[in-house]
Amino acid sequence: MTLDLAGFTKPHAERPPAPVPVDWAAVEEWLGMRLPDDYKRLADRYGPVDFGEFLWIHVPCADGRFDYGEWLRQTHREARIEARELPEDERPAVHPVPGGLLAWGESRGSDTLFWDTSASDDPDEWTVVVRHTGVVPGSGLLPWHRYDLTLTEYLRHTVRDSWETPSPPGPLMGPLPGTLARTAFLDAAGPWTPPAPTEPRLTEAERRVALETGTGLAALRLLTPPPERPYLGDGTWEGLFDTLGSRLPREYVELMEVYGAGSWSGWLRFQAPLRTAAPRFPAFVEETLEAYEELRKGFPDWYPLATWPAPGGFLPFADSIDGDHLGWLAQGDDPDAWPLVFWPRHADQGPALEGGLLDTLLAWQRGRLVTPGLCAWDEEDDPVEFAAFEPWDDSAHA
């Protein structure tokens, strides 16, 4: 007998669920597989759902903060990376690998819920796999757990009054109330349209140049396209050099005149060097070094760098969203000979980097630069997809 969701759930009084139109033929063609009928019925009747005030069941929809296809892509990438923590013979495959896990929801506790598409050729018999992030009764030490339950059976399994009843077939999620609410952060969600196939940005010959044979700024521009109008600020290089009391390396000037201020791959941030209103580049340098000196007073072994303008001192010019900093060691009178150094926020201080700024950026965007604390691509990521630059303009600093 097929379970009916309506038999153990009720709409939330304040946030009743509401459907979003779904073109299932288009969605399934994009996925390359048919989806379970109970999931499609749930989506058609209720839309994106906050189930039991703890589980978010995501359906094909989109708004300014959520895109079903992008959510699947990011969730499957993270699952693929996390699965490598398991012994090789225990790692689950992840969509789009045939028979791979296919995500359908997540929890407020950051658990991720999947179907095991290898369980059956019939999607209606796909069973649930949960990647738990916290301690769950019955879970032991392993975060990945398979349940011999379909989607609706699993949801029914979570709706209970206690941990003990009914007897669980695996680690519990719940007990949860049987409420169905419109997902709060998707209150304005509308239909989702699968992205149209696109031609690769680079030809195979261009990929080889961008990822293998090219050098310097020419290869970097190919791999990570610069903006049409780089934003540096309203001042001049001569004015900045006078304020700092030193010229900066030519590679830095050359790079900034092509890219300007902005964020590299959503992680490494270059400030606007010529901005004359706050926040100014010299203030960024001063504030960063003041923070470094304070840390150095308490933990000199962990913060061994001298700070600019001391001879060989650390002079920062970029930071990360995680609080790391990239800069130079101002050794000698020739800024073009200054070595780069990376100050990691969550790792021990390493030696100066071997290459110059352009070579270092290019190696990082290619996924080949490995240094403690530096954000790195996964081994299966395509650098052409992840190597990106988001330019800033004056409004980003307003």
Side-chain angles (χ1 to χ4, degrees), residues 41 57-58 98 142 210 224 238 240 268 278 318 324 342 355 362 376 382:
R41 286 194 300 269
I57 302 175
H58 292 314
L142 296 177
T224 309
E238 291 75 16
L240 174 64
L268 184 62
D324 313 277
F342 181 65
L362 182 58
D382 180 0

Side-chain angles (χ1 to χ4, degrees), residues 144-211:
W144 295 87
H145 291 278
R146 298 178 180 273
Y147 296 80
D148 187 22
L149 300 168
T150 63
L151 168 65
T152 304
E153 291 169 345
Y154 179 80
L155 296 177
R156 176 66 185 91
H157 171 61
T158 69
V159 178
R160 60 180 70 239
D161 297 324
S162 69
W163 290 110
E164 290 78 21
T165 57
S167 178
L172 284 172
M173 183 83 77
L176 303 179
T179 55
L180 292 164
R182 181 61 177 262
T183 302
F185 60 85
L186 293 176
D187 58 335
W192 177 75
T193 301
T198 58
E199 292 295 323
R201 181 170 66 83
L202 300 178
T203 65
E204 285 303 314
E206 289 172 332
R207 279 183 65 91
R208 283 194 296 274
V209 173
L211 297 177

Side-chain angles (χ1 to χ4, degrees), residues 55-365:
L55 300 180
W56 290 304
I57 302 175
H58 292 314
V59 304
C61 66
D63 70 0
R65 295 168 293 177
F66 178 87
D67 178 276
Y68 173 74
E70 181 62 19
W71 174 75
L72 279 181
R73 188 184 72 85
Q74 292 285 359
T75 301
H76 292 160
R77 177 179 181 266
E78 292 167 6
R80 187 183 71 222
I81 294 170
E82 291 169 350
R84 293 205 187 94
E85 299 174 2
L86 298 175
E88 188 170 354
D89 60 349
E90 297 179 14
R91 296 174 192 170
V94 180
H95 185 80
V97 174
L101 300 180
L102 178 64
W104 55 266
E106 56 192 326
S107 79
R108 280 184 168 82
S110 298
D111 310 284
T112 311
L113 302 104
F114 304 86
W115 288 292
D116 178 4
T117 69
S118 70
S120 173
D121 292 334
D122 181 357
D124 296 330
E125 296 180 2
W126 288 349
T127 52
V128 170
V129 175
V130 181
R131 203 286 180 180
H132 296 290
T133 58
V135 177
V136 180
S139 68
L141 298 176
L142 296 177
W144 295 87
H145 291 278
R146 298 178 180 273
Y147 296 80
D148 187 22
L149 300 168
T150 63
L151 168 65
T152 304
E153 291 169 345
Y154 179 80
L155 296 177
R156 176 66 185 91
H157 171 61
T158 69
V159 178
R160 60 180 70 239
D161 297 324
S162 69
W163 290 110
E164 290 78 21
T165 57
S167 178
L172 284 172
M173 183 83 77
L176 303 179
T179 55
L180 292 164
R182 181 61 177 262
T183 302
F185 60 85
L186 293 176
D187 58 335
W192 177 75
T193 301
T198 58
E199 292 295 323
R201 181 170 66 83
L202 300 178
T203 65
E204 285 303 314
E206 289 172 332
R207 279 183 65 91
R208 283 194 296 274
V209 173
L211 297 177
E212 300 173 17
T213 63
T215 60
L217 190 56
L220 189 62
R221 292 177 66 122
L222 193 57
L223 178 59
T224 309
E228 292 184 7
R229 297 182 179 85
Y231 173 71
L232 287 84
D234 54 343
T236 64
W237 288 111
E238 291 75 16
L240 174 64
F241 298 164
D242 286 344
T243 300
L244 292 174
S246 173
R247 181 172 65 84
L248 297 180
R250 288 188 180 90
E251 272 196 320
Y252 172 74
V253 175
E254 183 181 10
L255 177 77
M256 296 306 295
E257 289 185 342
V258 171
Y259 286 92
S263 174
W264 290 79
S265 298
W267 189 77
L268 184 62
R269 307 178 296 192
F270 278 64
Q271 311 301 314
L274 307 184
R275 184 177 167 85
T276 58
R280 300 172 63 239
F281 181 79
F284 165 78
V285 172
E286 182 179 356
E287 291 167 3
T288 300
L289 296 183
E290 285 178 355
Y292 190 93
E293 287 292 351
E294 284 298 314
L295 293 167
R296 190 180 179 198
K297 289 177 183 178
F299 309 95
D301 292 340
W302 294 355
Y303 301 92
L305 303 178
T307 55
W308 187 84
F314 174 54
L315 172 55
F317 61 84
D319 66 352
S320 81
I321 62 174
D322 296 318
D324 313 277
H325 286 78
L326 183 65
W328 301 284
L329 296 179
Q331 299 173 352
D333 297 329
D334 182 6
D336 295 329
W338 290 350
L340 282 176
V341 68
F342 181 65
W343 169 27
R345 177 68 178 85
H346 300 101
D348 293 338
Q349 180 64 57
L353 303 177
E354 294 183 2
L357 177 57
L358 292 177
D359 288 341
T360 296
L361 265 180
L362 182 58
W364 177 55
Q365 292 282 271

Side-chain angles (χ1 to χ4, degrees), residues 4-6 17-19 40-47:
D4 183 357
L5 207 63
K40 291 188 284 188
R41 286 194 300 269
L42 181 154
D44 287 340
R45 184 172 181 180
Y46 301 110

Side-chain angles (χ1 to χ4, degrees), residues 8-13 15 17 49-55 159 176-181:
F8 58 93
T9 63
K10 60 181 179 180
H12 193 281
R15 288 188 292 116
V49 164
D50 181 346
F51 182 88
E53 302 178 10
F54 190 70
L55 300 180
V159 178
L176 303 179
T179 55
L180 292 164

